[in-house]
Every structure is written in C-alpha cells, then in structure tokens.
Amino acid sequence: GAVVSQHPSWVICKSGTSVKIECRSLDFQATTMFWYRQFPKQSLMLMATSNEGSKATYEQGVEKDKFLINHASLTLSTLTVTSAHPEDSSFYICSARTGTISGNTIYFGEGSWLTVV
Amino acid sequence: GENVEQHPSTLSVQEGDSAVIKCTYSDSASNYFPWYKQELGKRPQLIIDIRSNVGEKKDQRIAVTLNKTAKHFSLHITETQPEDSAVYFCAASIQNNDMRFGAGTRLTVKP
C-alpha cells in the first residue's frame, strides 16, 4: 500500500511554545490530507481537511489560529500547534488520500505523540 | 454532519470463535465504509472496506456487510486468533471526504 510518513513520532515541548508536525506522502501525490487528534482510549477526531494550495477546512470547535495547517505541496502537509498548553497533549495523526475521488483509499501516518509540560 | 455509532465498546472472545462489531451511520449520502485496526500507539491499518454499491465483501477471515436501508454495517471476524486483539474502528464518508470514525471496539481474543 501507499506510504504516509509523519514526523516527529514523539515531541515534548514547554507550555507556550509552538511545535510543528509534518505529514508526507512518500510514493504518491496527495491533494487532500486530513489531520486527526486521538486522546487515550478514544476515537480519532477529525480536526481539519488540508487541501494542497488552499486554506484548510476546520471542523467545528477546532481553533484555526491555534492549529495552523499548511499544505504547500502535493506531498507535504504540516500541523503547527501554537502556544501549546498541557491540554493539547495528545496523539496527532494525519492521513492522505490516494487516487481519484471515485476510487481512492486513505492511508494513515504513524502518528505523533505530543506532550506539553 | 455524519454521526457514526459503534458497538460494542469492548468484546472478549475465545480463540477460534467469531467476533462481530456493528456500526450505524446517519448520513444517507455516505458511500464508503472502511474498517481500521489500531494497536496501541500505532497508526490505524485499513483491514477491509466496502462501498455502497456492494452488500458484502470478504477477505479470508474478515467480512463486512452493509445494509444501506437500515444504515448499518458490520465487521465479522471468524476463527479469531490472539493477534486479532486490537482496537477496531469503523468509519463512514462520502467519497472519502470528511471521514468520521466510530468510538472504537477493543477486541480481546483469549488463547
């Protein structure tokens, strides 16, 4: 299957600082990528849909000024958590869609554990 | 928007038995229903998916059924093995847009 790489896998940052997470599609071009957040023992919650060359579409309740998403190329989307606080600590995971809308599959990155201290 | 409900939240079976996980969705426009398996701290892995033009799909020990009228779909795992133990998520979307996940089912297969 297609490969989606996410970096870093683990990150610890101080409260008030910003941290960037990268999501790359290694062997295909992804016009659309998705960012999810997962708290321990809970489901994946869609945060935003990232479209190459345009602004991300955020889900209700997700602060777009806090979670900055950039999709500058067909293989890279980044999520920046700005002014991080301990409650932002979570597992962040991206996914990318292959192929055309009529017949495509979504593959997930490895995920990034963020701990804000 | 789409709302996906998944049951049960936990499921424990004996090795060799079958396991069934059920999901319902709310948006009749949804037409793509994947199932993912996730081990602790790892990425979800697609194990099987079904599109709305199909009622059933099977891949070895795993099968998925879809009832569009009732808006529910189910995952069936036969001859379960300890390595099937994981959290399973169902999801629903329209052409793979805005995929919404169920709450997950923690499956434990006892040897």
Side-chain angles (χ1 to χ4, degrees):
Chain A
V3 178
V4 177
S5 177
Q6 197 170 331
H7 178 81
S9 301
W10 298 82
V11 58
I12 300 174
C13 71
K14 291 185 177 179
S15 186
T17 62
S18 297
V19 61
K20 180 186 287 186
I21 302 169
E22 294 186 346
C23 180
R24 293 180 185 273
S25 54
L26 298 186
D27 51 359
F28 65 98
Q29 293 183 332
T31 55
T32 304
M33 292 184 174
F34 306 89
W35 286 95
Y36 292 86
R37 180 174 185 174
Q38 186 177 33
F39 289 110
K41 297 186 179 181
Q42 293 189 22
S43 189
L44 296 97
M45 301 301 296
L46 179 66
M47 298 175 66
T49 301
S50 170
N51 296 298
E52 186 267 336
S54 64
K55 292 183 179 180
T57 304
Y58 289 81
E59 294 299 304
Q60 191 173 6
V62 178
E63 299 175 59
K64 61 180 180 180
D65 294 330
K66 181 171 182 62
F67 299 99
L68 301 178
I69 291 173
N70 183 278
H71 195 157
S73 76
L74 287 172
T75 60
L76 174 64
S77 176
T78 60
L79 167 68
T80 302
V81 183
T82 64
S83 186
H85 292 285
E87 56 264 32
D88 297 325
S89 300
S90 184
F91 187 58
Y92 292 87
I93 191 163
C94 69
S95 66
R97 186 170 65 199
T98 67
T100 61
I101 290 178
S102 60
N104 55 78
T105 304
I106 286 180
Y107 292 92
F108 283 87
E110 305 97 323
S112 299
W113 287 98
L114 170 63
T115 300
V116 184
V117 297
Chain B
E2 177 65 273
N3 182 46
V4 179
E5 294 191 356
Q6 184 172 346
H7 300 280
S9 56
T10 59
L11 178 60
S12 180
V13 300
Q14 206 66 37
E15 182 177 0
D17 289 349
S18 295
V20 180
I21 302 171
K22 299 181 179 181
C23 288
T24 61
Y25 61 98
S26 61
D27 191 343
S28 57
S30 291
N31 57 8
Y32 178 64
F33 308 92
W35 285 88
Y36 288 88
K37 176 183 180 182
Q38 187 182 30
E39 297 179 10
L40 185 63
K42 296 188 178 180
R43 77 179 92 194
Q45 299 277 5
L46 178 69
I47 57 172
I48 196 167
D49 58 8
I50 191 167
R51 299 185 189 273
S52 59
N53 59 346
V54 177
E56 184 175 358
K57 185 176 178 181
K58 191 173 182 180
D59 183 3
Q60 298 183 342
R61 298 187 296 108
I62 297 173
V64 57
T65 59
L66 170 65
N67 183 326
K68 286 193 300 181
T69 303
K71 288 189 283 193
H72 66 69
F73 54 113
S74 301
L75 176 72
H76 304 252
I77 305 175
T78 59
E79 300 172 29
T80 54
Q81 302 166 3
E83 51 265 38
D84 293 330
S85 297
V87 178
Y88 291 81
F89 292 99
C90 64
S93 71
I94 302 171
Q95 304 284 30
N96 258 339
N97 285 312
D98 301 339
M99 187 171 290
R100 307 292 172 161
F101 286 81
T105 297
R106 182 172 299 278
L107 173 65
T108 302
V109 180
K110 299 177 182 177

